[in-house]
Each structure stands twice: as C-alpha cells, then as structure tokens.
Amino acid sequence: MKVVRLIIENFRGIKSAQLNFDGHALMVGSNNVGKSTICEALDLVLGPDRLNRFPPIDEFDFYNGKYLVADTDPAAPPQPIPLRIEAVVIELSADVSTKCGGHIEFWHTTEQRLLEPGEVEAANPPLVLPCLRLETVGRYNPEEDEFEAKTYFSHSPDALDGELSTLPRPIKRLFGFLYLRTLRTGSRALSLERGSLLDIILRAKGVRTTLWEKTISRLRGLDIEEEAAELVPVLRSVEKRLARYIALEGNGNATKVHVSELTREHLRKTMTFFLALSSDQEHVPFAHAGTGTINTLVLALLSVIADLKPDTVIFAMEEPEIAVPPHTQRRIANYLLTKTTQAFVTSHSPFVIEKFEPSKTLLLTREHGVVSARKVSDATGLKDNDYKRFSRSGLSECMLGRASIVVEGVTELHAMPVVARRMEEQNPNLQPLDIAGVAFFDADGESNMPKFGKFFKTLGLRTFAFYDLDYKKKRKPEQAQALAENFEINKEHAYKGFEDLVVTEVPAERLWAFLGNLKANDDNGNLAIPDERPDDDAVKMIARGALGGAKGAGWCARLFEECEFDELPSTAVKFLAEVFAKFPPPPPIIENEGGQANMFE
C-alpha cells in the first residue's frame, strides 16, 4: 500500500498543502517548513492509535491555534474551524480491498488525479488503479468543551447525505503505518505500552498472551511486608488512625503494599525490557543503554515488523541519523528503501540524503502557511549522475544550509575555509560562516559551476562563486551569462590558477618558511627544495610547483595556517569579506540594571 496524495488544511503550521508522492519520499527543507507536520498528518489519517488519545488533538493542532471564528451575527456564538487531512492510498492489500470495497475509487497514476464518476470506462490498469480516499476531520465541540477527531472514508456512497462513513480502527491497522518520531521512539520502543514497537509486533503476530493474568496473580500473592518487617508497625499505625474516621470491616489487615496497581495498563507502563551489553555487565533497563544502542535496537524491531508485513509497511521516520554513526545511518536508509512499501523520511544527514534518488527527494517550501513540494530532479534540472557523484562530496551538506560558496577545485575547497576561520578569529564581530549556514562546495571545474549554482539557487540558497581568470579566452558568452545569473557574488579573480594567486599574494618569506617546514618534516617527497634560500622569484617558482603538484594534499590550507593574518592572500580575504557582509551577526545581548537581557539592533 502506498500514499500518492496528501491534502492538509488548517493543521499546525500548515494552512494548506497538496502533496503528491511517488513511492519513497525524502523530505528536505529549512527548519519550520512543515516536515514534521506532514509526518504528524500522516499519523492522524493512517495511524491506528493516535486518535485513541484523549483528547486526540488540542488547540495547537490548528493553524495558528485558531479553532473558532466569529459568526457574522455578533449575537451568535463563534463557529468551529475544522482541520482536515486527506490521504489517497493505492496498491490496496487483498484484505483492505475486500473489507472496503464499497468505498473504492480509481486513481490515474500518470495524471495524478481521481477519476470522475463518468470516467468509469477509463478505469483500466496499469495507468489507473483502485484507491481509497481517507480523511481525518478534527474540530472543537463547544457543547462538550472538547476537541474531537475522527477518520472517515471520503467516498461513502451508503452514508446519509452530508455524512461520511467512519473508518474502523481494525481497518486502519491493516495499513501497517508506523510513525517514528525524533528522539521519542527509543524511550518506549521496547516497552509494552500500547503503540510501542514491541506491542505492534505482538499484534502483528496475533499473539494473545496470558501474561497479564499470570503476572497480576503472582504480584498479588507477593508479600512485601514479609520481606520488609519495618513497614508493618507503620501500616498498622495508619490503620488505627483510619479506623477513627472510616469503618474498616475487611478481613485481616486493612492496608497492604503491592509493587504495582495490578492493572494491565499500569503493567504496560512499568514492565521494562532489560539487556546485557557486555559479558561483565548485569542486565540493565534498555533505556539506560546508549542512545545509539537504543536506536539500533529500534532498527532491529523495524526489521521484524517488515518481515511480518512485507506488503503493508508504511514508515514515517524523522531524522533517522539521531545518535547513530554514519554506517548505521546508511543501513537504516537502505533498510527503509528496500524493506518497506513506502517510507517518508526527514533528515539533515548527508549519509541519509545520498541514499535517496533526486526523483525521490522532495524540496518543501512554505509561504504564508501554504506548503508545496517539488522533486529535486524536476526543480533544479541537475542530472541524476551528477547528483549521485557529488552527493557525498558536499552536495548534501550544502542542500541543508542557507548558502553555498562554489569553488573550482579541491585546493580552494581546502584552503578557503581556513581563510574564513582566520578572519573569524581576527574579528569576533563576524558571524562564523558555518553558524550562518554557509558551506563550501567543489564543482570540480569551472564548467560545472553554473549548473550547481542553478541547483543551489533553485533550492532557495544564496550562491557565491570564486574561480580563475579565463586567461585563454575559452569561456563562451553563454557560460559567462550562466555564471552571472546563478551567483549573487560572481568572483573571477585575476590569476590563471589559485596557486598563482597564492604565490603572488603571500610574501616570499612565508613561502620559503613553508617550504623549509616541508623539507624539515620530510614531507616534500620528490620536490627538490634547496638548502639555501634562492631569490624571491625562485622561491615563488618552487612554491608554485609544490602547491600545483600536491593539490589533494591540502598544502595551500597548511600554508594559510602558518601565515600571519596580514600575510593571507588579499583577493581571498576580500571575497570572503563580501560573503560575511551578507550574514551579519545577531544583535548583541546587553543586560539592563535589573539583570534582564535585552537585544539591541
């Protein structure tokens, strides 16, 4: 089963949204764009347990917290504003098709729309598939002073006019929807609370355990007082005082101590999964394990669920990278892509993002409460091969930021961040570029820079370019125009290569000291460095050969680390100063006389 369309109205930070999905979906976008809200919306309309909470929704589940609107008649009471979430689901399982046959409609996969009643003859596979349209409606009930929410079949031909048929909870369970919230999943994944992963596994297996009856019986027979005789005088004293006000007519002692409330629900909350993490350690509650271990345990449970329901597992998962190393992040992403029928993922990790094809990566944008989504492949025009090739080498990191500095090669990629950091150390009033969300990206050649500038610009990032002089005059007019159009700061420096810039603008004395350090540390390899200092031109020539012949070694960056600040190349410093100016620091915090903090522009 797969979700192909989701409509959201008046829910949390989303005033309205209509999103189309084609299988797995990685959702990326700035903070507060609505990624988590989309996951919560899916849980409301597809999840079997969310609506069992009391209340199922609250004031802040409505857009801007507004759930009432004044009537046009001033004397009339305010009218409720409903929230509504609609999902269209295709590839229905046999069970769902059988039990929901009267509510089935048809979805045109290429036109991404429902067929109208008069188009029944067009309902032919594979372009047109049976579907279910489900909607959750939530509103405030003034009479009961409560918030209510229910899920319905949007197509309810047997219901009374103006009404919809309720979607039964057992049918919802057949959808196999799981929502794994950031940070909140591990703490109860291995508990027996309703809706926990362990509880879902037991239900999926159809286990009807006698655990509760047997455990309650044993706990009831456990005599705490026998093991803690010091409690007895206290309890009997309490009984005597109670007897002054209440007739205690039961047989035996009127007070007794138990280890729980002896109810199923209380046991669900108190029973805890223990595990031993090493041979020299006793079993401990799983919540006391490291966060990475807990999340890995969650992954193990997910694999059990996927094996139980291979055709009906839909996951919504927030930031699977939390507290797990990169290789585990990749495993989780790969698991979601290969072992589930559909996965909705939000992430800020390059190791997760690189696993998703650009056609499966949705860029979310939000304007005045209206959220829209575009496939990265459609929005930017970047080819899949380029996306895959560069995703691990900086593309994903830039996508998650606010701006990208696109450079021509690996030398600049290593060296320019050093200049930026030295500038930040020199001037504490500068906002560090990494805090500002600015990342460096190596386009691997000037010819690639326009397409990556367009890619980042289309994603809503600010773009800055730094590249070599076209001294051979090979740059075509359309290339120059593309550079100008796609970069806010479009810096063509005055040198035919970055190494020429460095040896020209860094003092010869510093270059010689750098070469001397290479030789002293035996890092120069086959590079011949004389014992005696030659003239400045010879020093520059040797340094040029050293820097140009070891681009991947990061020697330019190493040289910049050794420079005094005023020895750094001025062209690079001036370019980065323009970038820093685009991201001024936040206003300073100044405490007033009362000790309270005020911010001044």
Side-chain angles (χ1 to χ4, degrees):
M1 299 177 65
K2 295 179 181 177
V3 179
V4 290
R5 188 175 73 186
L6 183 70
I7 295 175
I8 303 173
E9 297 172 358
N10 197 39
F11 181 56
R12 296 198 172 181
I14 298 179
K15 183 178 182 180
S16 68
Q18 178 169 317
L19 310 170
N20 292 328
F21 303 106
D22 179 17
H24 299 301
L26 171 69
M27 295 180 287
V28 297
S30 60
N31 289 330
N32 201 38
V33 75
K35 299 185 294 291
S36 296
T37 299
I38 291 169
C39 292
E40 292 282 356
L42 287 165
D43 191 34
L44 268 176
V45 72
L46 298 177
D49 298 307
R50 167 64 188 268
L51 296 185
N52 291 327
R53 298 187 332 195
F54 183 81
I57 55 175
D58 60 32
E59 290 89 338
F60 295 104
D61 282 321
F62 295 82
Y63 179 65
N64 281 342
K66 295 180 180 179
Y67 54 91
L68 291 172
V69 62
D71 194 279
T72 53
D73 180 1
Q79 297 300 308
I81 305 174
L83 64 83
R84 180 176 173 275
I85 299 158
E86 179 187 281
V88 177
V89 183
I90 63 170
E91 298 184 15
L92 310 177
S93 67
D95 272 354
V96 170
S97 295
T98 300
K99 295 177 180 180
C100 306
H103 304 284
I104 286 178
E105 298 176 272
F106 292 92
W107 178 260
H108 201 297
T109 57
T110 56
E111 297 179 5
Q112 296 186 314
R113 65 177 181 87
L114 290 163
L115 292 191
E116 299 295 333
E119 297 181 283
V120 65
E121 293 182 359
N124 297 314
L127 294 182
V128 176
L129 298 176
C131 70
L132 279 179
R133 191 159 46 105
L134 315 168
E135 63 180 86
T136 294
V137 179
R139 56 170 53 87
Y140 173 68
N141 185 334
E143 294 182 0
E144 299 293 334
D145 190 25
E146 293 175 355
F147 291 94
E148 302 171 340
K150 289 184 180 180
T151 304
Y152 306 93
F153 293 103
S154 300
H155 178 59
S156 300
D158 297 331
L160 297 175
D161 288 345
E163 296 186 8
L164 299 174
S165 301
T166 302
L167 175 65
R169 186 177 172 195
I171 300 295
K172 266 196 174 187
R173 292 200 178 281
L174 297 176
F175 299 153
F177 178 80
L178 290 174
Y179 177 26
L180 307 180
R181 295 171 173 83
T182 307
L183 297 178
R184 287 177 277 174
T185 299
S187 63
R188 61 191 294 268
L190 288 168
S191 75
L192 281 169
E193 290 186 61
R194 296 188 186 278
S196 71
L197 292 181
L198 195 54
D199 179 53
I200 290 170
I201 291 172
L202 291 174
R203 294 186 187 193
K205 283 181 171 286
V207 173
R208 171 62 174 89
T209 178
T210 58
L211 166 69
W212 310 116
E213 292 84 354
K214 290 180 179 179
T215 303
I216 289 173
S217 176
R218 289 178 181 176
L219 291 176
R220 183 176 282 113
L222 184 64
D223 192 341
I224 302 295
E225 296 176 24
E226 183 179 354
E227 303 296 332
E230 64 274 13
L231 286 178
V232 176
V234 176
L235 295 177
R236 300 296 86 79
S237 176
V238 171
E239 286 181 25
K240 291 177 182 179
R241 283 161 174 74
L242 283 173
R244 295 180 182 180
Y245 307 102
I246 303 172
L248 302 177
E249 299 176 354
N251 295 326
N253 296 323
T255 58
K256 192 172 182 65
V257 175
H258 287 292
V259 296
S260 86
E261 294 179 3
L262 302 182
T263 65
R264 292 172 180 240
E265 291 305 314
H266 191 256
L267 286 180
R268 282 183 178 274
K269 296 177 181 178
T270 57
M271 294 182 75
T272 303
F273 185 90
F274 277 58
L275 74 162
L277 299 175
S278 60
S279 59
D280 62 337
Q281 183 179 357
E282 294 294 326
H283 287 74
V284 298
F286 77 92
H288 286 228
T291 306
T293 300
I294 291 174
N295 283 349
T296 304
L297 287 170
V298 170
L299 178 60
L301 292 177
L302 297 181
S303 66
V304 173
I305 295 170
D307 290 339
L308 289 173
K309 293 185 174 183
D311 299 324
T312 56
V313 178
I314 302 174
F315 278 127
M317 193 171 191
E318 286 189 76
E319 300 181 21
E321 66 268 19
I322 296 296
V324 294
H327 69 275
T328 305
Q329 295 179 33
R330 295 191 189 101
R331 287 184 60 197
I332 292 174
N334 187 65
Y335 161 77
L336 293 172
L337 290 169
T338 59
K339 300 295 185 181
T340 68
T341 54
Q342 189 174 26
F344 297 90
V345 180
T346 72
S347 179
H348 291 89
S349 167
F351 305 104
V352 174
I353 292 174
E354 71 181 17
K355 286 292 184 180
F356 285 78
E357 301 285 343
S359 61
K360 303 296 183 184
T361 303
L362 299 181
L363 169 67
L364 301 181
T365 55
R366 179 177 180 272
E367 186 173 358
H368 305 301
V370 178
V371 173
S372 58
R374 294 177 294 172
K375 294 179 181 179
V376 167
S377 55
D378 295 340
T380 64
L382 192 67
K383 294 181 179 179
D384 285 9
N385 288 339
D386 286 330
Y387 186 89
K388 293 175 184 177
R389 176 187 170 195
F390 288 90
S391 62
R392 190 176 295 183
S393 58
L395 191 69
S396 299
E397 180 183 357
C398 290
M399 287 170 59
L400 299 170
R402 295 174 59 198
S404 177
I405 299 175
V406 181
V407 295
E408 196 171 347
V410 67
T411 302
E412 296 94 317
L413 180 68
H414 292 156
M416 294 293 282
V418 175
V419 179
R421 179 175 54 77
R422 297 292 304 278
M423 293 173 69
E424 294 161 7
E425 294 170 349
Q426 178 74 11
N427 182 359
N429 292 322
L430 294 177
Q431 179 174 213
L433 291 183
D434 57 348
I435 294 177
V438 183
F440 289 85
F441 179 75
D442 171 18
D444 192 23
E446 181 190 316
S447 61
N448 288 327
M449 294 182 72
K451 65 183 176 185
F452 285 110
K454 178 183 177 182
F455 177 82
F456 295 130
K457 185 176 180 180
T458 305
L459 293 182
L461 277 65
R462 303 181 76 169
T463 54
F464 314 112
F466 187 82
Y467 54 95
D468 301 340
L469 174 71
D470 180 24
Y471 70 99
K472 292 184 178 180
K473 307 300 181 183
K474 288 187 175 182
R475 188 180 302 137
K476 297 179 180 179
E478 56 268 24
Q479 178 87 350
Q481 182 178 354
L483 287 165
E485 289 177 349
N486 291 302
F487 291 101
E488 183 176 344
I489 298 177
N490 179 37
K491 178 63 176 178
E492 177 187 12
H493 61 70
Y495 303 91
K496 64 180 181 180
F498 189 73
E499 292 79 13
D500 293 302
L501 180 155
V502 173
V503 299
T504 303
E505 297 190 356
V506 173
E509 284 300 325
R510 177 57 59 191
L511 295 174
W512 177 247
F514 169 72
L515 293 172
N517 288 336
L518 288 180
K519 185 173 183 178
N521 294 322
D522 199 24
D523 288 341
N524 55 308
N526 295 326
L527 177 68
I529 301 176
D531 294 328
E532 299 295 328
R533 183 192 189 285
D535 60 30
D536 287 359
D537 289 340
V539 168
K540 290 179 181 292
M541 183 179 68
I542 297 170
R544 175 66 178 81
L547 299 177
K551 289 179 177 288
W555 281 4
C556 271
R558 182 171 168 180
L559 168 62
F560 291 171
E561 294 280 9
E562 297 176 6
C563 287
E564 296 295 331
F565 181 77
D566 59 3
E567 295 174 335
L568 293 170
S570 59
T571 297
V573 171
K574 290 177 181 177
F575 166 75
L576 289 173
E578 290 186 66
V579 177
F580 276 110
K582 302 290 184 180
F583 301 93
I589 300 175
I590 302 175
E591 291 190 356
N592 59 26
E593 293 182 358
Q596 295 179 336
N598 291 326
M599 297 183 71
F600 295 89
E601 296 285 344

